[in-house]
Amino acid sequence: MAVCIAVIAKENYPLYIRSTPTENELKFHYMVHTSLDVVDEKISAMGKALVDQRELYLGLLYPTEDYKVYGYVTNSKVKFVMVVDSSNTALRDNEIRSMFRKLHNSYTDVMCNPFYNPGDRIQSRAFDNMVMSMMIQVC
Amino acid sequence: MADALLFEFLLTEMVAELWPQDPDPARGGRKMNLSVLEGMGCHVGQALGERLPQEMLAFREELDALKFLCKDLWVAVFQKQMDSLCPSHQWSLSMASGLQYLDEAPKFLAFTCGGPRGTLSTLGIESLVTASVAALCACKFQAVIQKSQGPLGHPQLSLTTASGPHPLQVNSRCFGPETLATAFGGGLRARAGHRMLKKWV
């Protein structure tokens, strides 16, 4: 479903980035990097918006011809970026939201691990497994 | 409320373990242990700072983060609400015979000072939390927020909750049971089956 998932820290460096191995990974890294600008834009726009519209889920950041990029930001300014295949039209907004929610829960579990120092790369196997389960393609 | 007791025992043991009877004055033994406790509290606070706001909307500004700290975090941890942002925080302790144990109080507070500091740092606010025991059954927390670009000085934030002295008392080293919640204990990855702990783990 998802082609690439990235967790970006507050200071905009990647804590975790994983893409499907069949594709050129560098392309996805670049897409995630460029999407950070859009995320920042959305966050500052949200700051000026009405109270009711404050949300953690940022929605579609930008579409390209093959892929769509979605974003989500937590209260601790950690960003999740997900790149999804455009050809998979069955994927609805709700499903993306639930995927982000799962990501957030797993990330919180990683944070609660006393052996994890905030700011390190995420090396948790449980987190890895959760991300892999979201990325398994339907052949 | 077995959770609160569990956490109290844990805290008591932690302090007992880390507070040596004969500290080595050359190495500043006591201060080092207090900072260990405070660091533990900080880490727990960071974990809480991730988990508690999960269901909430995004914080737009510092004020939202502070409101969260005062209302949700404090209620979750101490089951008491803060009255307002400004006045000073008071929280009841129960002591066997008050004055005698005033010296003992600070080492228990180290962990609890670390908690809000950790949470604030997760939310993006660098701060320094200190506590002082003025009278028998009262304790003041002061959070000084350090603004990175402020040559004008640090705005001081004092947090308050009004609570009377707790009637129940177990022994001289225990806090009043209901005031400490297991939310901190949950941050230490204690996998208890209890519903309250489960929420934070």
Side-chain angles (χ1 to χ4, degrees), chain B residues 24-63:
Chain B
D24 178 5
R27 288 190 312 148
R30 286 228 163 106
K31 277 209 193 109
M32 210 163 65
N33 291 333
L34 276 185
S35 64
V36 167
L37 274 173
E38 214 242 347
M40 283 160 72
C42 193
H43 198 124
V44 172
Q46 281 179 325
L48 276 178
E50 271 300 331
R51 205 171 271 283
L52 283 181
Q54 215 172 333
E55 300 304 319
M56 301 175 51
L57 300 177
F59 297 148
R60 259 194 300 158
E61 37 177 60
E62 206 173 83
L63 195 61

mmCIF file of all heavy atoms in Angstrom, chain B residues 24-63:
data_model
loop_
_atom_site.group_PDB
_atom_site.id
_atom_site.type_symbol
_atom_site.label_atom_id
_atom_site.label_comp_id
_atom_site.label_asym_id
_atom_site.label_seq_id
_atom_site.Cartn_x
_atom_site.Cartn_y
_atom_site.Cartn_z
ATOM 1 N N ASP B 24 30.283 10.087 49.172
ATOM 2 C CA ASP B 24 31.676 10.458 49.037
ATOM 3 C C ASP B 24 31.733 11.951 48.740
ATOM 4 O O ASP B 24 31.407 12.371 47.644
ATOM 5 C CB ASP B 24 32.285 9.641 47.884
ATOM 6 C CG ASP B 24 33.724 10.017 47.645
ATOM 7 O OD1 ASP B 24 34.272 10.826 48.425
ATOM 8 O OD2 ASP B 24 34.289 9.501 46.680
ATOM 9 N N PRO B 25 32.122 12.757 49.674
ATOM 10 C CA PRO B 25 32.034 14.212 49.461
ATOM 11 C C PRO B 25 32.952 14.696 48.345
ATOM 12 O O PRO B 25 32.686 15.685 47.707
ATOM 13 C CB PRO B 25 32.424 14.821 50.808
ATOM 14 C CG PRO B 25 33.111 13.736 51.548
ATOM 15 C CD PRO B 25 32.642 12.438 51.004
ATOM 16 N N ALA B 26 34.016 13.962 48.100
ATOM 17 C CA ALA B 26 34.964 14.419 47.081
ATOM 18 C C ALA B 26 34.320 14.425 45.703
ATOM 19 O O ALA B 26 34.605 15.281 44.873
ATOM 20 C CB ALA B 26 36.192 13.517 47.074
ATOM 21 N N ARG B 27 33.443 13.467 45.477
ATOM 22 C CA ARG B 27 32.872 13.401 44.140
ATOM 23 C C ARG B 27 31.499 14.048 44.073
ATOM 24 O O ARG B 27 30.803 13.923 43.091
ATOM 25 C CB ARG B 27 32.756 11.947 43.686
ATOM 26 C CG ARG B 27 34.108 11.341 43.376
ATOM 27 C CD ARG B 27 33.918 10.009 42.700
ATOM 28 N NE ARG B 27 32.966 9.208 43.407
ATOM 29 C CZ ARG B 27 32.171 8.339 42.797
ATOM 30 N NH1 ARG B 27 32.236 8.191 41.498
ATOM 31 N NH2 ARG B 27 31.312 7.620 43.488
ATOM 32 N N GLY B 28 31.119 14.720 45.142
ATOM 33 C CA GLY B 28 29.777 15.319 45.123
ATOM 34 C C GLY B 28 28.720 14.250 45.002
ATOM 35 O O GLY B 28 27.804 14.360 44.213
ATOM 36 N N GLY B 29 28.890 13.201 45.824
ATOM 37 C CA GLY B 29 28.035 12.012 45.680
ATOM 38 C C GLY B 29 26.547 12.288 45.685
ATOM 39 O O GLY B 29 25.810 11.810 44.837
ATOM 40 N N ARG B 30 26.101 13.107 46.635
ATOM 41 C CA ARG B 30 24.657 13.311 46.749
ATOM 42 C C ARG B 30 24.085 14.021 45.548
ATOM 43 O O ARG B 30 23.016 13.683 45.075
ATOM 44 C CB ARG B 30 24.337 14.126 47.999
ATOM 45 C CG ARG B 30 24.490 13.334 49.255
ATOM 46 C CD ARG B 30 23.301 13.482 50.171
ATOM 47 N NE ARG B 30 23.304 12.425 51.160
ATOM 48 C CZ ARG B 30 23.619 12.585 52.436
ATOM 49 N NH1 ARG B 30 23.978 13.757 52.869
ATOM 50 N NH2 ARG B 30 23.592 11.565 53.264
ATOM 51 N N LYS B 31 24.802 15.012 45.067
ATOM 52 C CA LYS B 31 24.260 15.795 43.949
ATOM 53 C C LYS B 31 24.124 14.910 42.725
ATOM 54 O O LYS B 31 23.188 15.001 41.962
ATOM 55 C CB LYS B 31 25.213 16.940 43.606
ATOM 56 C CG LYS B 31 25.035 18.132 44.483
ATOM 57 C CD LYS B 31 25.398 19.420 43.763
ATOM 58 C CE LYS B 31 25.516 20.556 44.767
ATOM 59 N NZ LYS B 31 26.872 21.009 44.972
ATOM 60 N N MET B 32 25.118 14.018 42.555
ATOM 61 C CA MET B 32 25.077 13.149 41.384
ATOM 62 C C MET B 32 23.834 12.279 41.408
ATOM 63 O O MET B 32 23.184 12.082 40.401
ATOM 64 C CB MET B 32 26.314 12.260 41.417
ATOM 65 C CG MET B 32 26.801 11.858 40.068
ATOM 66 S SD MET B 32 28.477 11.252 40.137
ATOM 67 C CE MET B 32 28.281 9.784 41.111
ATOM 68 N N ASN B 33 23.506 11.772 42.620
ATOM 69 C CA ASN B 33 22.356 10.878 42.672
ATOM 70 C C ASN B 33 21.064 11.612 42.422
ATOM 71 O O ASN B 33 20.160 11.074 41.808
ATOM 72 C CB ASN B 33 22.306 10.174 44.028
ATOM 73 C CG ASN B 33 23.451 9.212 44.146
ATOM 74 O OD1 ASN B 33 23.940 8.727 43.161
ATOM 75 N ND2 ASN B 33 23.868 8.955 45.362
ATOM 76 N N LEU B 34 20.995 12.843 42.905
ATOM 77 C CA LEU B 34 19.779 13.604 42.650
ATOM 78 C C LEU B 34 19.595 13.818 41.166
ATOM 79 O O LEU B 34 18.496 13.770 40.634
ATOM 80 C CB LEU B 34 19.831 14.960 43.361
ATOM 81 C CG LEU B 34 19.400 14.958 44.817
ATOM 82 C CD1 LEU B 34 19.391 16.379 45.338
ATOM 83 C CD2 LEU B 34 18.026 14.344 44.963
ATOM 84 N N SER B 35 20.711 14.059 40.470
ATOM 85 C CA SER B 35 20.559 14.314 39.041
ATOM 86 C C SER B 35 20.203 13.036 38.300
ATOM 87 O O SER B 35 19.540 13.083 37.265
ATOM 88 C CB SER B 35 21.806 14.958 38.456
ATOM 89 O OG SER B 35 22.880 14.065 38.548
ATOM 90 N N VAL B 36 20.620 11.891 38.833
ATOM 91 C CA VAL B 36 20.190 10.624 38.231
ATOM 92 C C VAL B 36 18.682 10.483 38.341
ATOM 93 O O VAL B 36 17.985 10.175 37.378
ATOM 94 C CB VAL B 36 20.878 9.430 38.929
ATOM 95 C CG1 VAL B 36 20.227 8.122 38.541
ATOM 96 C CG2 VAL B 36 22.342 9.395 38.577
ATOM 97 N N LEU B 37 18.178 10.772 39.549
ATOM 98 C CA LEU B 37 16.733 10.693 39.762
ATOM 99 C C LEU B 37 16.000 11.660 38.854
ATOM 100 O O LEU B 37 14.966 11.340 38.263
ATOM 101 C CB LEU B 37 16.399 11.022 41.217
ATOM 102 C CG LEU B 37 16.469 9.864 42.210
ATOM 103 C CD1 LEU B 37 16.274 10.390 43.602
ATOM 104 C CD2 LEU B 37 15.422 8.831 41.880
ATOM 105 N N GLU B 38 16.536 12.860 38.768
ATOM 106 C CA GLU B 38 15.877 13.869 37.951
ATOM 107 C C GLU B 38 15.903 13.471 36.487
ATOM 108 O O GLU B 38 14.942 13.677 35.751
ATOM 109 C CB GLU B 38 16.574 15.220 38.159
ATOM 110 C CG GLU B 38 15.620 16.392 38.084
ATOM 111 C CD GLU B 38 15.955 17.316 36.952
ATOM 112 O OE1 GLU B 38 17.061 17.166 36.411
ATOM 113 O OE2 GLU B 38 15.122 18.156 36.595
ATOM 114 N N GLY B 39 17.025 12.871 36.078
ATOM 115 C CA GLY B 39 17.104 12.409 34.700
ATOM 116 C C GLY B 39 16.091 11.330 34.407
ATOM 117 O O GLY B 39 15.484 11.300 33.335
ATOM 118 N N MET B 40 15.869 10.446 35.374
ATOM 119 C CA MET B 40 14.871 9.402 35.175
ATOM 120 C C MET B 40 13.500 10.027 35.022
ATOM 121 O O MET B 40 12.719 9.662 34.150
ATOM 122 C CB MET B 40 14.865 8.449 36.376
ATOM 123 C CG MET B 40 16.010 7.476 36.359
ATOM 124 S SD MET B 40 16.353 6.757 37.945
ATOM 125 C CE MET B 40 14.995 5.687 38.166
ATOM 126 N N GLY B 41 13.231 10.996 35.898
ATOM 127 C CA GLY B 41 11.942 11.681 35.805
ATOM 128 C C GLY B 41 11.787 12.372 34.476
ATOM 129 O O GLY B 41 10.706 12.402 33.882
ATOM 130 N N CYS B 42 12.903 12.913 33.981
ATOM 131 C CA CYS B 42 12.861 13.625 32.706
ATOM 132 C C CYS B 42 12.494 12.671 31.580
ATOM 133 O O CYS B 42 11.653 12.975 30.739
ATOM 134 C CB CYS B 42 14.231 14.237 32.450
ATOM 135 S SG CYS B 42 14.237 15.415 31.134
ATOM 136 N N HIS B 43 13.118 11.508 31.573
ATOM 137 C CA HIS B 43 12.829 10.549 30.522
ATOM 138 C C HIS B 43 11.375 10.110 30.561
ATOM 139 O O HIS B 43 10.714 9.984 29.530
ATOM 140 C CB HIS B 43 13.753 9.332 30.674
ATOM 141 C CG HIS B 43 13.830 8.516 29.440
ATOM 142 N ND1 HIS B 43 15.005 8.207 28.800
ATOM 143 C CD2 HIS B 43 12.864 7.951 28.698
ATOM 144 C CE1 HIS B 43 14.748 7.472 27.739
ATOM 145 N NE2 HIS B 43 13.459 7.291 27.656
ATOM 146 N N VAL B 44 10.899 9.876 31.780
ATOM 147 C CA VAL B 44 9.488 9.481 31.927
ATOM 148 C C VAL B 44 8.575 10.587 31.435
ATOM 149 O O VAL B 44 7.588 10.348 30.738
ATOM 150 C CB VAL B 44 9.188 9.143 33.397
ATOM 151 C CG1 VAL B 44 7.715 8.921 33.609
ATOM 152 C CG2 VAL B 44 9.959 7.915 33.806
ATOM 153 N N GLY B 45 8.943 11.813 31.770
ATOM 154 C CA GLY B 45 8.134 12.945 31.317
ATOM 155 C C GLY B 45 8.116 13.046 29.808
ATOM 156 O O GLY B 45 7.099 13.392 29.204
ATOM 157 N N GLN B 46 9.256 12.728 29.176
ATOM 158 C CA GLN B 46 9.300 12.781 27.718
ATOM 159 C C GLN B 46 8.357 11.754 27.116
ATOM 160 O O GLN B 46 7.639 12.029 26.160
ATOM 161 C CB GLN B 46 10.715 12.519 27.222
ATOM 162 C CG GLN B 46 11.610 13.720 27.339
ATOM 163 C CD GLN B 46 13.011 13.448 26.869
ATOM 164 O OE1 GLN B 46 13.522 12.345 27.053
ATOM 165 N NE2 GLN B 46 13.639 14.428 26.283
ATOM 166 N N ALA B 47 8.389 10.556 27.686
ATOM 167 C CA ALA B 47 7.499 9.513 27.176
ATOM 168 C C ALA B 47 6.042 9.930 27.353
ATOM 169 O O ALA B 47 5.221 9.764 26.448
ATOM 170 C CB ALA B 47 7.768 8.200 27.910
ATOM 171 N N LEU B 48 5.730 10.499 28.502
ATOM 172 C CA LEU B 48 4.369 10.975 28.738
ATOM 173 C C LEU B 48 4.002 12.068 27.769
ATOM 174 O O LEU B 48 2.875 12.141 27.286
ATOM 175 C CB LEU B 48 4.243 11.534 30.152
ATOM 176 C CG LEU B 48 3.981 10.533 31.251
ATOM 177 C CD1 LEU B 48 3.926 11.252 32.567
ATOM 178 C CD2 LEU B 48 2.665 9.831 30.998
ATOM 179 N N GLY B 49 4.974 12.921 27.479
ATOM 180 C CA GLY B 49 4.730 14.022 26.565
ATOM 181 C C GLY B 49 4.413 13.545 25.165
ATOM 182 O O GLY B 49 3.795 14.250 24.384
ATOM 183 N N GLU B 50 4.837 12.337 24.831
ATOM 184 C CA GLU B 50 4.471 11.759 23.550
ATOM 185 C C GLU B 50 3.108 11.115 23.630
ATOM 186 O O GLU B 50 2.278 11.263 22.741
ATOM 187 C CB GLU B 50 5.470 10.649 23.184
ATOM 188 C CG GLU B 50 6.684 11.089 22.427
ATOM 189 C CD GLU B 50 6.384 11.748 21.108
ATOM 190 O OE1 GLU B 50 5.356 11.436 20.469
ATOM 191 O OE2 GLU B 50 7.179 12.600 20.706
ATOM 192 N N ARG B 51 2.882 10.384 24.709
ATOM 193 C CA ARG B 51 1.704 9.540 24.732
ATOM 194 C C ARG B 51 0.428 10.301 25.067
ATOM 195 O O ARG B 51 -0.598 10.071 24.465
ATOM 196 C CB ARG B 51 1.899 8.402 25.732
ATOM 197 C CG ARG B 51 1.052 7.229 25.396
ATOM 198 C CD ARG B 51 1.407 6.053 26.249
ATOM 199 N NE ARG B 51 2.454 5.242 25.680
ATOM 200 C CZ ARG B 51 2.276 4.381 24.690
ATOM 201 N NH1 ARG B 51 1.103 4.232 24.146
ATOM 202 N NH2 ARG B 51 3.271 3.669 24.246
ATOM 203 N N LEU B 52 0.509 11.208 26.014
ATOM 204 C CA LEU B 52 -0.734 11.855 26.442
ATOM 205 C C LEU B 52 -1.383 12.728 25.382
ATOM 206 O O LEU B 52 -2.584 12.689 25.225
ATOM 207 C CB LEU B 52 -0.494 12.667 27.713
ATOM 208 C CG LEU B 52 -0.396 11.850 28.999
ATOM 209 C CD1 LEU B 52 -0.180 12.763 30.170
ATOM 210 C CD2 LEU B 52 -1.642 11.030 29.206
ATOM 211 N N PRO B 53 -0.618 13.538 24.641
ATOM 212 C CA PRO B 53 -1.302 14.399 23.666
ATOM 213 C C PRO B 53 -1.696 13.684 22.392
ATOM 214 O O PRO B 53 -2.129 14.317 21.446
ATOM 215 C CB PRO B 53 -0.273 15.483 23.348
ATOM 216 C CG PRO B 53 0.896 15.235 24.167
ATOM 217 C CD PRO B 53 0.818 13.862 24.698
ATOM 218 N N GLN B 54 -1.564 12.378 22.369
ATOM 219 C CA GLN B 54 -1.793 11.676 21.114
ATOM 220 C C GLN B 54 -3.188 11.900 20.562
ATOM 221 O O GLN B 54 -3.393 12.027 19.368
ATOM 222 C CB GLN B 54 -1.600 10.180 21.340
ATOM 223 C CG GLN B 54 -1.006 9.486 20.174
ATOM 224 C CD GLN B 54 -0.654 8.061 20.505
ATOM 225 O OE1 GLN B 54 -0.401 7.732 21.643
ATOM 226 N NE2 GLN B 54 -0.654 7.217 19.510
ATOM 227 N N GLU B 55 -4.168 11.918 21.457
ATOM 228 C CA GLU B 55 -5.544 12.045 20.970
ATOM 229 C C GLU B 55 -5.943 13.486 20.768
ATOM 230 O O GLU B 55 -7.049 13.771 20.358
ATOM 231 C CB GLU B 55 -6.495 11.398 21.982
ATOM 232 C CG GLU B 55 -6.218 9.930 22.192
ATOM 233 C CD GLU B 55 -6.276 9.163 20.889
ATOM 234 O OE1 GLU B 55 -7.179 9.438 20.083
ATOM 235 O OE2 GLU B 55 -5.387 8.317 20.648
ATOM 236 N N MET B 56 -5.058 14.402 21.101
ATOM 237 C CA MET B 56 -5.480 15.793 21.098
ATOM 238 C C MET B 56 -5.163 16.459 19.781
ATOM 239 O O MET B 56 -4.408 15.958 18.971
ATOM 240 C CB MET B 56 -4.766 16.541 22.212
ATOM 241 C CG MET B 56 -5.038 15.950 23.563
ATOM 242 S SD MET B 56 -4.089 16.754 24.824
ATOM 243 C CE MET B 56 -4.457 18.441 24.489
ATOM 244 N N LEU B 57 -5.708 17.624 19.621
ATOM 245 C CA LEU B 57 -5.404 18.404 18.428
ATOM 246 C C LEU B 57 -4.014 19.020 18.567
ATOM 247 O O LEU B 57 -3.447 19.066 19.641
ATOM 248 C CB LEU B 57 -6.432 19.521 18.271
ATOM 249 C CG LEU B 57 -7.864 19.042 18.138
ATOM 250 C CD1 LEU B 57 -8.801 20.222 18.057
ATOM 251 C CD2 LEU B 57 -8.018 18.190 16.896
ATOM 252 N N ALA B 58 -3.516 19.497 17.478
ATOM 253 C CA ALA B 58 -2.164 20.043 17.488
ATOM 254 C C ALA B 58 -2.090 21.300 18.357
ATOM 255 O O ALA B 58 -3.022 22.089 18.399
ATOM 256 C CB ALA B 58 -1.744 20.377 16.064
ATOM 257 N N PHE B 59 -0.973 21.465 19.040
ATOM 258 C CA PHE B 59 -0.781 22.684 19.821
ATOM 259 C C PHE B 59 -0.299 23.780 18.903
ATOM 260 O O PHE B 59 0.685 23.635 18.201
ATOM 261 C CB PHE B 59 0.303 22.469 20.888
ATOM 262 C CG PHE B 59 -0.055 21.434 21.893
ATOM 263 C CD1 PHE B 59 0.916 20.662 22.471
ATOM 264 C CD2 PHE B 59 -1.363 21.245 22.280
ATOM 265 C CE1 PHE B 59 0.604 19.719 23.417
ATOM 266 C CE2 PHE B 59 -1.694 20.298 23.220
ATOM 267 C CZ PHE B 59 -0.697 19.532 23.794
ATOM 268 N N ARG B 60 -0.999 24.859 18.942
ATOM 269 C CA ARG B 60 -0.591 25.903 18.016
ATOM 270 C C ARG B 60 0.515 26.762 18.585
ATOM 271 O O ARG B 60 1.342 27.276 17.875
ATOM 272 C CB ARG B 60 -1.789 26.775 17.656
ATOM 273 C CG ARG B 60 -2.348 26.414 16.308
ATOM 274 C CD ARG B 60 -3.267 27.446 15.801
ATOM 275 N NE ARG B 60 -4.382 27.632 16.691
ATOM 276 C CZ ARG B 60 -5.123 28.739 16.727
ATOM 277 N NH1 ARG B 60 -4.853 29.729 15.925
ATOM 278 N NH2 ARG B 60 -6.113 28.836 17.568
ATOM 279 N N GLU B 61 0.498 26.954 19.870
ATOM 280 C CA GLU B 61 1.495 27.851 20.427
ATOM 281 C C GLU B 61 1.857 27.385 21.829
ATOM 282 O O GLU B 61 1.311 26.444 22.341
ATOM 283 C CB GLU B 61 0.960 29.271 20.461
ATOM 284 C CG GLU B 61 -0.520 29.313 20.798
ATOM 285 C CD GLU B 61 -1.037 30.704 20.911
ATOM 286 O OE1 GLU B 61 -0.949 31.423 19.906
ATOM 287 O OE2 GLU B 61 -1.503 31.056 22.001
ATOM 288 N N GLU B 62 2.785 28.103 22.416
ATOM 289 C CA GLU B 62 3.318 27.719 23.712
ATOM 290 C C GLU B 62 2.225 27.633 24.764
ATOM 291 O O GLU B 62 2.228 26.764 25.625
ATOM 292 C CB GLU B 62 4.333 28.770 24.125
ATOM 293 C CG GLU B 62 5.381 28.255 25.050
ATOM 294 C CD GLU B 62 6.429 29.307 25.276
ATOM 295 O OE1 GLU B 62 6.199 30.167 26.139
ATOM 296 O OE2 GLU B 62 7.443 29.264 24.576
ATOM 297 N N LEU B 63 1.276 28.540 24.650
ATOM 298 C CA LEU B 63 0.214 28.580 25.651
ATOM 299 C C LEU B 63 -0.573 27.286 25.672
ATOM 300 O O LEU B 63 -0.939 26.776 26.732
ATOM 301 C CB LEU B 63 -0.718 29.757 25.323
ATOM 302 C CG LEU B 63 -1.658 30.161 26.450
ATOM 303 C CD1 LEU B 63 -0.855 30.598 27.648
ATOM 304 C CD2 LEU B 63 -2.583 31.262 25.987
#
